[in-house]
Amino acid sequence: MGPHGTKVGLLRVLGPAHVWALGVGIVLVGEYMGWNFAVGKGGAYAALIACWFAGILYSCVAMIDSEVTSTVAAAGGQYTQAKHIVGPLMAFNVGLYLVFAYTMLEAGNAITLGYLISVAADMTGATEPLDQRPFIILAIMFLAWLNYRGVLATLTFNLIITAFAFCAILVLFFASAPWSEGSMLAHGELMSGQAALPYGWLGVLAAMHFGLWFYLGIEGTTQAAEEVRSPARALPFGTLAGIMTLLIAATLTWYICVGYLPWEYLGDGVNGAVAPLFSAAQMTGSDALIIILGFGTLFATLASANGCINDASRAWFSMGRDHYLPQWFGAVHPQYRTPYRSIIFLVPIALIFALGAPLDQVITFSILSGLLGYTFMPINVILFRRKWPLDTIKRGYEHPFHPIPAILLIALCSVTYFAVFLGYGTQLIAMVSFYIVVSLWFHFWRYRFVKRADQFTMPWPKPRGY
């Protein structure tokens, strides 16, 4: 509540560029780290195939999200969509998928940032290994403070550093001059023989797991729905421009890195190429490129962690506001107009994983949570079109070729589940078990607090058939 008992809501201050910065800012770190585990799973060509199939998956996600969120324009993104279209249990689960996907991604970013600072210390001649933990804690705390103080400053900051990180990839590509005979890229040598597909087509399937990391988080643009000035215009434009940007960045990243680094080193994202674009810049021997890609990696991790705090807190806030969680989390700061309690609450969870879990497992936790959310989307959009056909309510965007994107999305999600099971079957079973347990908790305990009649905030006609 604000002064004199007035109700305080989130501020509508964002434009299409901020939506682009939120989506691309969260994801672009996937070009700087994490995707290269796909090379270790199946080799260089397997990573490229996974990159493009994951690109199709996320293009479907972007199109579906652009239609539904430009119509259901409220904080919470896919959670709010599920609340209006499917039902409470689905909404609760989708909200948790979002929170854990973004919080784990935030932890992965903090781990990478700590690694970068330790590498920079080694390059300046440090004689002892640098303790990364203080920098991990400071990064998360600073970004949480920035989010606490206001969304416009947060996403303007993201816009600047995301643009720099994307341009850094372009600079490395053009500096490598692949069209020139004197180029240092050695694709023919590094990708010949068994190096191309060392584990055959099974390796291609296994690579799909980490192929998602090229794009994971673009769906986060939906979390800005309640804070953009024109949802019908800004959300589709920012989301679709974002996926186009990422398709270009992902392909260029793969091309550069496999041309500079042996697949065995590139695929080892723990003891080898933790930050592959930075490692590729080191191979050029150019101090200028090393500095640019060093800052690009740093800015990509900061932009992603910053956007993740924004998105996870909005999902948690929305669930609190609707009584799916304790209503205490649904508070808005009277001055800064941010979901400050949700922001603060999620900080220690991110710190626990950033300080105590291996990078590949943190990434897998984020990927699996995201994947569970994508599996819901085909059901959501099919029900949305069936209940409210195109001629019954106004949409900001109508995605083409329905229901082909929904069918493609569910098929690619199924393939990716199997790919994850091949390498991380125990973690997959543990996570699914965890979500089953919390679903039972919601059904038998928390649902009694949900005021179902208050959930429908959109001025729509009754669904067809009711």
Side-chain angles (χ1 to χ4, degrees):
M1 302 294 286
H4 312 297
T6 58
K7 188 175 180 180
V8 176
L10 302 176
L11 283 174
R12 290 193 176 274
V13 292
L14 305 177
H18 295 102
V19 176
W20 176 90
L22 178 60
V24 176
I26 290 176
V27 183
L28 200 62
V29 71
E31 273 65 18
Y32 281 89
M33 68 91 175
W35 70 269
N36 49 310
F37 285 106
V39 179
K41 289 289 184 182
Y45 281 122
L48 178 63
I49 295 169
C51 167
W52 284 346
F53 272 95
I56 295 171
L57 186 156
Y58 278 92
S59 295
C60 296
V61 168
M63 288 193 295
I64 291 170
D65 261 348
S66 292
E67 173 171 331
V68 184
T69 307
S70 64
T71 313
V72 188
Q78 292 83 8
Y79 154 76
T80 304
Q81 297 173 19
K83 181 183 72 175
H84 281 84
I85 299 167
V86 184
L89 184 59
M90 176 69 82
F92 174 76
N93 277 280
V94 170
L96 288 186
Y97 302 155
L98 291 167
V99 171
F100 280 108
Y102 295 128
T103 304
M104 294 305 104
L105 178 50
E106 177 192 345
N109 293 326
I111 294 170
T112 305
L113 184 140
Y115 162 78
L116 282 174
I117 293 174
S118 68
V119 168
D122 292 341
M123 292 174 67
T124 57
T127 56
E128 296 183 3
L130 188 69
D131 188 352
Q132 300 176 17
R133 291 174 296 181
F135 298 98
I136 290 172
I137 295 170
L138 283 172
I140 291 177
M141 296 295 288
F142 166 73
L143 293 174
W145 171 81
L146 187 63
N147 276 268
Y148 183 98
R149 291 297 299 264
V151 69
L152 183 60
T154 298
L155 295 189
T156 300
F157 175 69
N158 250 38
L159 178 59
I160 296 168
I161 60 177
T162 299
F164 181 95
F166 177 68
C167 290
I169 298 175
L170 298 179
V171 168
L172 182 57
F173 173 75
F174 286 110
S176 301
W179 54 85
S180 170
E181 292 183 2
S183 174
M184 292 179 62
L185 293 169
H187 292 94
E189 179 183 343
L190 294 175
M191 298 174 63
S192 60
Q194 191 179 3
L197 284 174
Y199 306 120
W201 289 103
L202 185 62
V204 174
L205 179 61
M208 271 298 292
H209 173 187
F210 291 103
L212 265 62
W213 202 246
F214 278 113
Y215 313 96
L216 181 71
I218 184 62
E219 71 280 1
T221 56
T222 62
Q223 298 300 322
E226 203 168 313
E227 294 164 281
V228 293
R229 293 186 295 270
S230 174
R233 172 176 168 269
L235 290 170
F237 183 88
T239 303
L240 296 174
I243 191 63
M244 293 176 197
T245 303
L246 293 168
L247 288 166
I248 295 168
T251 304
L252 291 182
T253 295
W254 175 89
Y255 183 82
I256 294 165
C257 291
V258 300
Y260 278 119
L261 303 168
W263 79 271
E264 300 93 337
Y265 178 80
L266 180 61
D268 186 353
V270 177
N271 301 308
V274 175
L277 281 168
F278 181 67
S279 297
Q282 290 177 303
M283 294 296 294
T284 67
S286 167
D287 290 340
L289 287 176
I290 292 172
I291 292 171
I292 291 171
L293 270 298
F295 275 106
T297 309
L298 177 65
F299 288 167
T301 57
L302 287 172
S304 183
N306 194 35
C308 286
I309 294 171
N310 179 91
D311 284 359
S313 63
R314 266 61 182 179
W316 198 257
F317 156 80
S318 297
M319 293 171 74
R321 184 172 61 180
D322 294 334
H323 301 273
Y324 284 64
L325 295 172
Q327 194 179 11
W328 187 83
F329 293 113
V332 175
H333 196 285
Q335 179 180 354
Y336 304 126
R337 308 284 286 277
T338 56
Y340 67 106
R341 289 177 183 168
S342 296
I343 292 169
I344 295 170
F345 176 78
L346 294 172
V347 167
I349 298 174
L351 286 172
I352 289 169
F353 282 91
L355 296 172
L359 180 60
D360 62 332
Q361 291 188 20
V362 171
I363 289 174
T364 299
F365 199 157
S366 181
I367 286 173
L368 285 173
S369 296
L371 193 60
L372 287 165
Y374 309 146
T375 308
F376 133 82
M377 286 185 184
I379 302 169
N380 185 56
V381 74
I382 289 170
L383 287 177
F384 184 54
R385 284 285 186 102
R386 185 176 298 169
K387 289 181 176 181
W388 293 281
L390 294 179
D391 57 347
T392 58
I393 58 174
K394 185 178 181 181
R395 290 161 163 81
Y397 169 79
E398 298 173 6
H399 80 276
F401 312 120
H402 179 76
I404 293 174
I407 295 169
L408 268 177
L409 181 53
I410 196 67
L412 290 169
C413 284
S414 301
V415 171
T416 309
Y417 279 119
F418 184 64
V420 174
F421 182 78
L422 291 176
Y424 293 81
T426 302
Q427 193 169 350
L428 175 60
I429 293 169
M431 282 194 58
V432 172
S433 301
F434 164 75
Y435 283 118
I436 290 172
V437 170
V438 294
S439 295
L440 292 172
W441 171 83
F442 175 79
H443 177 75
F444 288 107
W445 172 253
R446 190 66 209 177
Y447 183 67
R448 72 185 72 179
F449 300 104
V450 175
K451 297 178 180 178
R452 186 70 177 132
D454 295 341
Q455 303 300 299
F456 299 99
T457 57
M458 303 305 299
W460 295 345
K462 285 187 177 181
R464 177 170 288 183
Y466 283 74

PDB file of all heavy atoms in Angstrom, residues 19 23 28 38 40 66 72 99 152 168 218-219 234 256 265 274 290 322 339 375 396:
ATOM      1  N   VAL A  19      12.355  -4.635 -23.700  1.00  0.00           N
ATOM      2  CA  VAL A  19      11.915  -6.026 -23.807  1.00  0.00           C
ATOM      3  C   VAL A  19      12.992  -6.849 -24.519  1.00  0.00           C
ATOM      4  O   VAL A  19      13.339  -7.963 -24.098  1.00  0.00           O
ATOM      5  CB  VAL A  19      10.570  -6.119 -24.555  1.00  0.00           C
ATOM      6  CG1 VAL A  19      10.164  -7.580 -24.748  1.00  0.00           C
ATOM      7  CG2 VAL A  19       9.488  -5.369 -23.786  1.00  0.00           C
ATOM      8  N   GLY A  23      15.090 -10.062 -22.849  1.00  0.00           N
ATOM      9  CA  GLY A  23      15.169 -11.402 -23.427  1.00  0.00           C
ATOM     10  C   GLY A  23      16.569 -11.775 -23.859  1.00  0.00           C
ATOM     11  O   GLY A  23      17.110 -12.804 -23.459  1.00  0.00           O
ATOM     12  N   LEU A  28      22.080 -14.227 -23.776  1.00  0.00           N
ATOM     13  CA  LEU A  28      23.334 -14.093 -24.511  1.00  0.00           C
ATOM     14  C   LEU A  28      24.510 -14.720 -23.772  1.00  0.00           C
ATOM     15  O   LEU A  28      25.494 -15.115 -24.390  1.00  0.00           O
ATOM     16  CB  LEU A  28      23.613 -12.613 -24.809  1.00  0.00           C
ATOM     17  CG  LEU A  28      24.607 -12.355 -25.946  1.00  0.00           C
ATOM     18  CD1 LEU A  28      24.088 -12.901 -27.262  1.00  0.00           C
ATOM     19  CD2 LEU A  28      24.884 -10.861 -26.084  1.00  0.00           C
ATOM     20  N   ALA A  38      27.681 -29.140 -25.101  1.00  0.00           N
ATOM     21  CA  ALA A  38      27.108 -29.902 -26.219  1.00  0.00           C
ATOM     22  C   ALA A  38      28.206 -30.490 -27.099  1.00  0.00           C
ATOM     23  O   ALA A  38      28.054 -31.592 -27.649  1.00  0.00           O
ATOM     24  CB  ALA A  38      26.180 -29.009 -27.051  1.00  0.00           C
ATOM     25  N   GLY A  40      31.154 -31.453 -26.014  1.00  0.00           N
ATOM     26  CA  GLY A  40      31.660 -32.598 -25.269  1.00  0.00           C
ATOM     27  C   GLY A  40      30.752 -33.808 -25.370  1.00  0.00           C
ATOM     28  O   GLY A  40      31.205 -34.948 -25.333  1.00  0.00           O
ATOM     29  N   SER A  66       4.530 -14.583 -27.897  1.00  0.00           N
ATOM     30  CA  SER A  66       4.201 -13.254 -28.414  1.00  0.00           C
ATOM     31  C   SER A  66       2.702 -13.079 -28.556  1.00  0.00           C
ATOM     32  O   SER A  66       2.161 -12.007 -28.285  1.00  0.00           O
ATOM     33  CB  SER A  66       4.884 -13.032 -29.772  1.00  0.00           C
ATOM     34  OG  SER A  66       6.284 -12.952 -29.614  1.00  0.00           O
ATOM     35  N   VAL A  72      -2.594 -11.558 -22.732  1.00  0.00           N
ATOM     36  CA  VAL A  72      -2.657 -11.686 -21.271  1.00  0.00           C
ATOM     37  C   VAL A  72      -1.501 -10.858 -20.702  1.00  0.00           C
ATOM     38  O   VAL A  72      -0.486 -11.380 -20.294  1.00  0.00           O
ATOM     39  CB  VAL A  72      -2.536 -13.157 -20.823  1.00  0.00           C
ATOM     40  CG1 VAL A  72      -2.802 -13.295 -19.327  1.00  0.00           C
ATOM     41  CG2 VAL A  72      -3.478 -14.042 -21.610  1.00  0.00           C
ATOM     42  N   VAL A  99      10.610 -19.650 -11.743  1.00  0.00           N
ATOM     43  CA  VAL A  99      11.467 -19.177 -10.662  1.00  0.00           C
ATOM     44  C   VAL A  99      12.775 -19.963 -10.611  1.00  0.00           C
ATOM     45  O   VAL A  99      13.866 -19.389 -10.513  1.00  0.00           O
ATOM     46  CB  VAL A  99      10.735 -19.255  -9.310  1.00  0.00           C
ATOM     47  CG1 VAL A  99      11.689 -18.985  -8.147  1.00  0.00           C
ATOM     48  CG2 VAL A  99       9.570 -18.267  -9.277  1.00  0.00           C
ATOM     49  N   LEU A 152      13.182   0.482 -14.549  1.00  0.00           N
ATOM     50  CA  LEU A 152      13.667   1.249 -15.698  1.00  0.00           C
ATOM     51  C   LEU A 152      15.193   1.318 -15.685  1.00  0.00           C
ATOM     52  O   LEU A 152      15.845   1.075 -16.719  1.00  0.00           O
ATOM     53  CB  LEU A 152      13.075   2.661 -15.686  1.00  0.00           C
ATOM     54  CG  LEU A 152      13.461   3.545 -16.874  1.00  0.00           C
ATOM     55  CD1 LEU A 152      13.008   2.912 -18.189  1.00  0.00           C
ATOM     56  CD2 LEU A 152      12.855   4.945 -16.744  1.00  0.00           C
ATOM     57  N   ALA A 168      30.486  -7.560 -29.355  1.00  0.00           N
ATOM     58  CA  ALA A 168      31.785  -8.206 -29.153  1.00  0.00           C
ATOM     59  C   ALA A 168      31.890  -9.492 -29.972  1.00  0.00           C
ATOM     60  O   ALA A 168      32.957  -9.811 -30.518  1.00  0.00           O
ATOM     61  CB  ALA A 168      31.992  -8.505 -27.669  1.00  0.00           C
ATOM     62  N   ILE A 218      14.749 -16.685 -23.403  1.00  0.00           N
ATOM     63  CA  ILE A 218      14.099 -15.693 -24.269  1.00  0.00           C
ATOM     64  C   ILE A 218      12.637 -15.528 -23.875  1.00  0.00           C
ATOM     65  O   ILE A 218      12.044 -14.455 -24.041  1.00  0.00           O
ATOM     66  CB  ILE A 218      14.225 -16.098 -25.760  1.00  0.00           C
ATOM     67  CG1 ILE A 218      13.646 -15.011 -26.676  1.00  0.00           C
ATOM     68  CG2 ILE A 218      13.553 -17.425 -26.025  1.00  0.00           C
ATOM     69  CD1 ILE A 218      14.340 -13.679 -26.601  1.00  0.00           C
ATOM     70  N   GLU A 219      12.064 -16.592 -23.287  1.00  0.00           N
ATOM     71  CA  GLU A 219      10.671 -16.488 -22.831  1.00  0.00           C
ATOM     72  C   GLU A 219      10.520 -15.526 -21.660  1.00  0.00           C
ATOM     73  O   GLU A 219       9.398 -15.177 -21.282  1.00  0.00           O
ATOM     74  CB  GLU A 219      10.140 -17.878 -22.442  1.00  0.00           C
ATOM     75  CG  GLU A 219      10.718 -18.464 -21.172  1.00  0.00           C
ATOM     76  CD  GLU A 219      12.088 -19.098 -21.330  1.00  0.00           C
ATOM     77  OE1 GLU A 219      12.622 -19.075 -22.450  1.00  0.00           O
ATOM     78  OE2 GLU A 219      12.613 -19.628 -20.324  1.00  0.00           O
ATOM     79  N   ALA A 234       4.989  -3.806 -27.862  1.00  0.00           N
ATOM     80  CA  ALA A 234       6.355  -3.999 -27.368  1.00  0.00           C
ATOM     81  C   ALA A 234       6.702  -5.470 -27.176  1.00  0.00           C
ATOM     82  O   ALA A 234       7.829  -5.891 -27.484  1.00  0.00           O
ATOM     83  CB  ALA A 234       6.541  -3.241 -26.055  1.00  0.00           C
ATOM     84  N   ILE A 256      32.981 -19.567 -34.798  1.00  0.00           N
ATOM     85  CA  ILE A 256      34.243 -19.021 -34.308  1.00  0.00           C
ATOM     86  C   ILE A 256      34.955 -20.024 -33.397  1.00  0.00           C
ATOM     87  O   ILE A 256      36.151 -20.309 -33.562  1.00  0.00           O
ATOM     88  CB  ILE A 256      34.006 -17.706 -33.544  1.00  0.00           C
ATOM     89  CG1 ILE A 256      33.483 -16.609 -34.480  1.00  0.00           C
ATOM     90  CG2 ILE A 256      35.287 -17.231 -32.859  1.00  0.00           C
ATOM     91  CD1 ILE A 256      32.904 -15.414 -33.747  1.00  0.00           C
ATOM     92  N   TYR A 265      38.916 -29.841 -25.838  1.00  0.00           N
ATOM     93  CA  TYR A 265      39.077 -28.727 -24.906  1.00  0.00           C
ATOM     94  C   TYR A 265      37.808 -27.885 -24.856  1.00  0.00           C
ATOM     95  O   TYR A 265      37.348 -27.495 -23.788  1.00  0.00           O
ATOM     96  CB  TYR A 265      40.262 -27.859 -25.347  1.00  0.00           C
ATOM     97  CG  TYR A 265      40.488 -26.645 -24.480  1.00  0.00           C
ATOM     98  CD1 TYR A 265      41.146 -26.742 -23.261  1.00  0.00           C
ATOM     99  CD2 TYR A 265      40.030 -25.385 -24.881  1.00  0.00           C
ATOM    100  CE1 TYR A 265      41.348 -25.633 -22.456  1.00  0.00           C
ATOM    101  CE2 TYR A 265      40.220 -24.267 -24.086  1.00  0.00           C
ATOM    102  CZ  TYR A 265      40.889 -24.393 -22.873  1.00  0.00           C
ATOM    103  OH  TYR A 265      41.073 -23.288 -22.078  1.00  0.00           O
ATOM    104  N   VAL A 274      35.817 -22.837 -20.073  1.00  0.00           N
ATOM    105  CA  VAL A 274      34.678 -22.393 -19.266  1.00  0.00           C
ATOM    106  C   VAL A 274      33.962 -21.248 -19.974  1.00  0.00           C
ATOM    107  O   VAL A 274      32.729 -21.173 -19.976  1.00  0.00           O
ATOM    108  CB  VAL A 274      35.153 -21.953 -17.864  1.00  0.00           C
ATOM    109  CG1 VAL A 274      33.993 -21.376 -17.057  1.00  0.00           C
ATOM    110  CG2 VAL A 274      35.782 -23.121 -17.127  1.00  0.00           C
ATOM    111  N   ILE A 290      41.202  -9.897 -26.782  1.00  0.00           N
ATOM    112  CA  ILE A 290      41.098 -10.520 -25.463  1.00  0.00           C
ATOM    113  C   ILE A 290      40.369  -9.593 -24.495  1.00  0.00           C
ATOM    114  O   ILE A 290      39.492 -10.021 -23.739  1.00  0.00           O
ATOM    115  CB  ILE A 290      42.503 -10.877 -24.924  1.00  0.00           C
ATOM    116  CG1 ILE A 290      43.111 -12.006 -25.756  1.00  0.00           C
ATOM    117  CG2 ILE A 290      42.433 -11.277 -23.449  1.00  0.00           C
ATOM    118  CD1 ILE A 290      44.566 -12.298 -25.440  1.00  0.00           C
ATOM    119  N   ASP A 322      -1.517 -13.572  -5.846  1.00  0.00           N
ATOM    120  CA  ASP A 322      -2.706 -14.394  -6.095  1.00  0.00           C
ATOM    121  C   ASP A 322      -2.944 -15.449  -5.018  1.00  0.00           C
ATOM    122  O   ASP A 322      -3.797 -16.323  -5.199  1.00  0.00           O
ATOM    123  CB  ASP A 322      -2.569 -15.094  -7.452  1.00  0.00           C
ATOM    124  CG  ASP A 322      -2.569 -14.110  -8.613  1.00  0.00           C
ATOM    125  OD1 ASP A 322      -3.147 -13.021  -8.455  1.00  0.00           O
ATOM    126  OD2 ASP A 322      -1.975 -14.433  -9.659  1.00  0.00           O
ATOM    127  N   PRO A 339       8.758  -5.394  -6.835  1.00  0.00           N
ATOM    128  CA  PRO A 339       8.375  -6.475  -5.908  1.00  0.00           C
ATOM    129  C   PRO A 339       9.547  -6.799  -4.975  1.00  0.00           C
ATOM    130  O   PRO A 339      10.168  -7.851  -5.059  1.00  0.00           O
ATOM    131  CB  PRO A 339       8.044  -7.633  -6.850  1.00  0.00           C
ATOM    132  CG  PRO A 339       8.879  -7.388  -8.048  1.00  0.00           C
ATOM    133  CD  PRO A 339       8.985  -5.895  -8.197  1.00  0.00           C
ATOM    134  N   THR A 375       7.018 -27.439 -22.180  1.00  0.00           N
ATOM    135  CA  THR A 375       6.094 -28.545 -22.434  1.00  0.00           C
ATOM    136  C   THR A 375       4.648 -28.123 -22.199  1.00  0.00           C
ATOM    137  O   THR A 375       3.718 -28.634 -22.846  1.00  0.00           O
ATOM    138  CB  THR A 375       6.447 -29.733 -21.523  1.00  0.00           C
ATOM    139  OG1 THR A 375       7.838 -30.039 -21.676  1.00  0.00           O
ATOM    140  CG2 THR A 375       5.628 -30.955 -21.879  1.00  0.00           C
ATOM    141  N   GLY A 396      -2.470  -8.697 -29.732  1.00  0.00           N
ATOM    142  CA  GLY A 396      -1.416  -7.826 -30.225  1.00  0.00           C
ATOM    143  C   GLY A 396      -0.647  -8.465 -31.363  1.00  0.00           C
ATOM    144  O   GLY A 396      -0.026  -7.774 -32.176  1.00  0.00           O
TER     145      GLY A 396
END
